[in-house]
Amino acid sequence: MIVLLPTTLCLTAAALVINFWLGMRIGKLRHAHGVSVGDGGNEAILRRMRAQLNFVEQVPLTLIAIGLVEAAGKGGAWLAPVGAVFMLGRVAHAIGMDGSFKAGRGIGMLTGMLIQLGLVVVSVLIALNKF
């Protein structure tokens, strides 16, 4: 039996688009500064690279947790908005890393941590059959 996980699928699609956007932002700066590999000592490129790496560090396990909560049938109406806030937080974090919206970095970090902690609690409660 195939189980569709629409929330997880949509959030994964969103993550792919965001990751593509993050990569394009780096490529644009590399092209503008003639840097083909790495950051070339350019702080702006380094910041964008770190923003994308942070995204790659944070998103996979969060998507796995969302997928497992959804597969357990416990996602309900709350899971998609929570996932959307997480993704928006990742975008805010990336923009904040540029320095143009300094609060974005903190907003992204805070939303990410709180949502991940919430998913930890929900996951443990599901595993203990208490949710």
Side-chain angles (χ1 to χ4, degrees), residues 37-96:
V37 177
D39 62 31
N42 183 301
E43 184 178 347
I45 296 173
L46 176 63
R47 286 176 169 273
R48 286 192 179 178
M49 289 174 66
R50 278 301 311 151
Q52 185 178 33
L53 184 55
N54 186 275
F55 183 85
V56 172
E57 292 166 349
Q58 298 300 316
V59 172
L61 288 174
T62 305
L63 284 175
I64 289 169
I66 288 169
L68 291 172
V69 168
E70 187 176 16
K74 305 295 184 179
W78 63 271
L79 191 58
V82 165
V85 169
F86 178 78
M87 291 300 169
L88 289 172
R90 297 290 80 214
V91 170
H93 178 270
I95 294 169

Side-chain angles (χ1 to χ4, degrees), residues 18-42:
I18 295 167
N19 192 54
F20 179 79
W21 169 71
L22 291 168
M24 293 300 294
R25 288 167 25 101
I26 296 165
K28 182 179 176 182
L29 273 184
R30 281 187 177 154
H31 179 73
H33 294 282
V35 176
S36 65
V37 177
D39 62 31
N42 183 301

Side-chain angles (χ1 to χ4, degrees), residues 95-131:
I95 294 169
M97 287 292 288
D98 277 351
S100 59
F101 174 52
K102 292 184 188 241
R105 185 175 179 200
I107 290 167
M109 289 171 54
L110 184 62
T111 58
M113 284 190 266
L114 291 175
I115 288 169
Q116 287 173 338
L117 286 173
L119 287 167
V120 166
V121 171
V122 169
S123 297
V124 170
L125 290 174
I126 290 170
L128 294 174
N129 205 26
K130 303 287 184 186
F131 182 77

